[in-house]
Each structure stands twice: as structure tokens, then as C-alpha cells.
Amino acid sequence: MDVAVSNAMESPARDWSDELRATLALAWPLILANLTMQLIQATDVVLLGWLGPKELAAAALALSLSFGMILFAFGVLTGTSPMMASALGSRFNSVRDVRRTFRQGLWAAAMMSIPTLIVLWNAERVILFFGQDSELARLAGWFLRGYMWVIPPWMLFQVMRNFLSALERPGWVLVISTLGIPLNAIVSWSLIFGHLGMPKLGLIGGGVGSSIVWAAMALALALVILTDRQFRRFHLFGRFWRPDWPRFRQLFKLGGPIGLTMGLEGGIFSAAAYLMGIFGAPSVAAHQIALQIAATAFMVPLALGQATTVRVGLAYGRQDRKGIGLAGWTSFGLSTAFMTFTAVVMFTFPHQLITLFLADTPENATVIALGVSFLRIAALFQIVDGWQVVGAGMLRGLHDTRVPMVFALFGYWAIGLGVGVGLAFVMEWRGVGIWTGLAAGLGVVAVLMLWRWSRRDRLGLLPAGA
């Protein structure tokens, strides 16, 4: 794999078949790594579902509170990916430029961790402020007292992962995250239910287990970077405490809009969970299960978008106009094909998918029925969900992030929330109305992203001289 990926990085693609091979060589480890990381959270959802619908609903509110903040941080840190990829594409002084970007990614991660931890420590009060049930708010706050410590190692992991992706060497991310799935299942199961000599912590045990596992994964990936001869020449952790304010500002100039774009998308799904709380705990639990399934499918186009950012970024650094187009449209085609498949599966087998997370018993019948209705709507927006995330990845490779942020604000919050609230409360569609609004918002953003990409030449987004 390393030889093929190295060749893909050194030589620009000559045609569609070259670009397809290069994209898949980079994307498949990212896809599997994204899926494995999503499965870590899915494992927690399954285990908490065994505790009961109330505990699952509380965890859903907790995870929804953290979701938007985590995605904002993820987006900011994603800015390191096109910066490092462009430096590697131009090749001039790339080792030093990559190291500078990586170190300021660490600074950004540390800075963003602090306010996030403060909010999550006071989660119960925040959730009550949004008008949720007091018992669910108490349980959600208790869960987050254990889960909040995921944040620092998770952010560190993302910075290291972006470095490996920019070098088109994501294999180690796949290995470590794959090992994290059984480790998380064992640790969280033991802490939630008191097995293997562990204390029985219940709801908070799931949060503590996730924190332990992410700390172990971040440490493992750091050790790889420090010891592998392909990576240690960058000396990424040497003198990491030294500030580099011009590069730090550059990271936030590029990554800030990415973070806001992702935060706006994650925020609308978090807002949906809190609106579901108005309809009761079953709606919140059903929403979380349907969202978990949709999010798992989303990991594939998300990885394709990440690969596209790198491939477009490399072509951008080379001032390769043809390569930019090949990289973008190849990932677009792959995403469309995959999300068409997931749409068919979700629409055809919603009951079977929902009951993977919740036992098919009479007491869970209401949650299952709601989950089935939500998942069928999720099936309808699969294709446009893939388009919007790959479209954003294409534009990020061109260092175009501000206008996509405006698209996200308009599409998710003006259209998505507006349509959702109108259908849920005015038309009395309740939870189905909320999910229909989400579908409408994703569709609008997808169309706008692809419109901008198709006009990249006229809009002056291509590098001068390309």
C-alpha cells in the first residue's frame, strides 16, 4: 500500500483511472478509520440502550450538547489538512511548513478544549436552560462528567490524523481505531455493568470508558509518529510550546470557517434532539438511534471529502488545473454511488436497523416505530448528504472556506430549522417534521456547494498561473 500511495503522491493523475486509483488508495483507510471511530460511539449507544430508553435519551441529550462544539473543533483542525497538503504539493521547504502547521494545530486543540470542558462540566444547567426534563438533564450531566475527558485526546488524535492524511499514509489511523472498537466495548461494558472486576458505574461508566479508550488511542498514534522513520523526520513534537502567531492566525483564517460550517451542520442535528425533547424521551431516543445509523453511513462520504481535500490540495499546490477537476469529480462520483446504496438499505430495512440498537420488545415499541419513520426520511437525504460533504471537501482543497460557511448558515438554519419547526409544530408532524426539515437543509447546501465548485474558474478560485 505504501508504494502505491507514494506513487500517487509524487505523480499527478493523468486521467480518470489514475485519479480513481489515487483517491481510493488514500480514501479507503480513511473510510475504514472513520467507520471504526463511529462504531466506537455506536457501541456506547448500544450498551446504554441496554440500560433503558430513559438512559439512552439522556445520553442523546448529552452527546447532542457536545456534538456541535466537537464538530466546530474538528473543522478548525481540518484546516491543517489542506495547509499541509499544499505545502507537500509545492515541495519547497515542505518539512518545515508541515511542522509549523502541525504545532499550531496542537495549540488550537489546547485552546478549544478549555471552553468545551467548561460547558460540558455545567451540562445539567445548560440542558435545563433549553427546557428539557429535569431528570433527563440530571442524567445527561452525570454521563458527561465521565465523557467530557474524551475531548483533549480526541482533538490531539485529529491533528495527528490530518498529518498522516496529508502524507497519504492513513494506515496507522485505521489500525489504531480498529483496535479501539473491541477495547471500548470491553472497557465500557465492564464499567457500565460492573464486569471483569470493575465497579458498576451505570450511565457514567460509558463516558469514563470512552475517555480511557480515546486517551489510549491518542497515545498510540503519537508513539507511531515519534518512532516511525517516515514521520519522525518532521520532528513534530519538538519545541511544540513555541508560538508561531502568523501560522496560528492562518490556521484560524482557513479552519475557522470550516469549523463554523461543520458546527452549523452538527448544531442543527443537536437542535433537532432538543426539539425532540419537547415530544418526550421516546422521540429523543428514536432520534439518537436513527442519527447514529445515518452518521455511520455518512462516515464514507466524509472520508471521501477528506481525501478530496488532500488530492485537490496537492493539485492546487502544483498549480495543476486538470488535476483539481479530476480529484473533485472522482470523489463526487464515488460518494453518489455509495450513498445511493445506503439510501436503498435504509428505506428497505429500517426496522431491522433500529432493532440492532434496541431490543424488539413491547416496552420499546414506541421508540422503534418512531425510529423507523425517522430512518426512512434519512434514506431520502442520503445522496445530497454525500454531495454536500464532498462538495465542501473539494472547495477546502482550493482554500475556499468562507462562502461555504455562509451556505451552511443559510441552508441548515434558515431552511432546515425553518422548515422543520414549521412542519413539526404548525403542521403537527412532530418528529417527522423535524427530520423532513433536516433533509431540506442538506439538499439546499448540497446544491449550493456544487454550484460554487462548478464555477470555480469564473469565481477565481483556481491558483494563479494554473
Side-chain angles (χ1 to χ4, degrees):
M1 181 185 73
D2 287 344
V3 173
V5 173
S6 178
N7 290 339
M9 183 173 173
E10 296 294 336
S11 303
R14 295 183 298 274
D15 54 29
W16 292 105
S17 60
D18 283 348
E19 184 58 44
L20 180 62
R21 283 192 294 271
T23 298
L24 290 175
L26 175 59
W28 77 261
L30 291 173
I31 289 170
L32 294 177
N34 279 357
L35 286 171
T36 53
M37 287 189 286
Q38 184 63 27
L39 287 172
I40 290 174
Q41 188 177 88
T43 302
D44 289 335
V45 172
V46 170
L47 292 172
L48 294 172
W50 293 353
L51 288 174
K54 180 190 288 187
E55 287 79 5
L56 180 57
L61 292 177
L63 293 171
S64 295
L65 180 62
S66 64
F67 192 46
M69 292 184 289
I70 286 176
L71 275 185
F72 171 76
F74 180 77
V76 172
L77 299 177
T78 296
T80 61
S81 185
M83 289 172 67
M84 290 187 281
S86 295
L88 291 165
S90 66
R91 305 309 256 170
F92 175 73
N93 206 19
S94 61
V95 169
R96 181 173 179 269
D97 281 340
V98 167
R99 180 169 61 244
R100 288 175 63 196
T101 298
F102 180 87
R103 288 174 179 172
Q104 296 316 297
L106 296 182
W107 276 58
M111 187 192 76
M112 292 186 292
S113 291
I114 295 171
T116 304
L117 292 174
I118 291 172
V119 172
L120 297 183
W121 185 262
N122 295 282
E124 182 177 353
R125 278 180 262 181
V126 175
I127 293 171
L128 285 172
F129 175 79
F130 287 113
Q132 301 301 305
D133 177 79
S134 59
E135 178 63 10
L136 289 181
R138 183 188 67 80
L139 291 172
W142 181 238
F143 171 77
L144 281 172
R145 289 294 174 95
Y147 184 81
M148 61 186 284
W149 306 111
V150 161
I151 302 301
W154 180 86
M155 289 192 187
L156 172 60
F157 192 92
Q158 301 313 313
V159 179
M160 294 187 290
R161 171 185 171 165
N162 288 340
F163 164 72
L164 297 178
S165 297
L167 265 67
E168 299 191 289
R169 300 289 194 278
W172 275 111
V173 178
L174 171 61
V175 171
I176 291 170
S177 54
T178 299
L179 293 174
I181 296 174
L183 179 62
N184 183 71
I186 293 169
V187 173
S188 294
W189 173 72
S190 299
L191 289 172
I192 291 171
F193 300 105
H195 297 302
L196 302 179
M198 297 290 187
K200 184 178 180 179
L201 300 180
L203 191 60
I204 195 175
V208 172
S210 293
S211 296
I212 292 172
V213 170
W214 275 107
M217 290 169 60
L219 178 61
L221 194 56
L223 289 174
V224 168
I225 289 174
L226 288 170
T227 57
D228 192 298
R229 62 182 178 82
Q230 298 179 82
F231 313 131
R232 66 189 181 202
R233 68 189 178 94
F234 287 89
H235 303 290
L236 294 180
F237 294 101
R239 299 181 181 179
F240 67 87
W241 57 85
R242 294 181 61 181
D244 184 348
W245 299 118
R247 185 59 56 106
F248 188 76
R249 288 191 293 270
Q250 184 183 357
L251 173 58
F252 271 87
K253 182 179 179 180
L254 178 63
I258 299 175
L260 288 172
T261 301
M262 290 188 168
L264 288 168
E265 181 181 1
I268 195 64
F269 281 94
S270 297
Y274 281 83
L275 290 171
M276 291 291 181
I278 298 173
F279 305 128
S283 292
V284 179
H287 170 81
Q288 182 61 33
I289 294 173
L291 180 59
Q292 193 68 54
I293 296 168
T296 301
F298 179 72
M299 291 301 103
V300 174
L302 175 62
L304 287 169
Q306 292 165 331
T308 303
T309 296
V310 172
R311 292 295 302 163
V312 171
L314 289 168
Y316 183 88
R318 293 191 303 264
Q319 298 189 345
D320 179 3
R321 184 184 295 262
K322 179 182 177 182
I324 289 171
L326 285 173
W329 289 120
T330 298
S331 290
F332 174 81
L334 290 170
S335 173
T336 301
F338 177 80
M339 293 303 263
T340 300
F341 168 75
T342 63
V344 172
V345 173
M346 287 184 188
F347 197 83
T348 307
F349 306 106
H351 186 274
Q352 291 86 340
L353 291 171
I354 295 295
T355 51
L356 290 174
F357 292 80
L358 205 60
D360 192 359
T361 60
E363 56 268 27
N364 292 331
T366 300
V367 176
I368 292 171
L370 288 169
V372 167
S373 63
F374 299 161
L375 198 58
R376 282 200 166 128
I377 298 171
L380 300 178
F381 66 61
Q382 287 298 287
I383 295 174
V384 293
D385 201 11
W387 287 356
Q388 63 85 18
V389 71
V390 170
M394 298 176 193
L395 295 172
R396 285 169 197 149
L398 300 177
H399 293 210
D400 179 37
T401 59
R402 293 187 179 182
V403 173
M405 175 188 68
V406 176
F407 290 166
L409 177 62
F410 172 73
Y412 297 135
W413 288 88
I415 303 300
L417 186 63
V419 170
V421 168
L423 293 177
F425 297 100
V426 178
M427 301 299 293
E428 297 184 350
W429 288 15
R430 298 170 68 86
V432 170
I434 299 296
W435 274 76
T436 303
L438 295 175
L442 289 168
V444 168
V445 174
V447 170
L448 291 173
M449 293 289 190
L450 294 176
W451 170 82
R452 187 164 178 82
W453 167 258
S454 67
R455 294 175 60 85
R456 61 192 179 280
D457 195 357
R458 296 182 184 179
L459 295 172
L461 301 180
L462 297 179

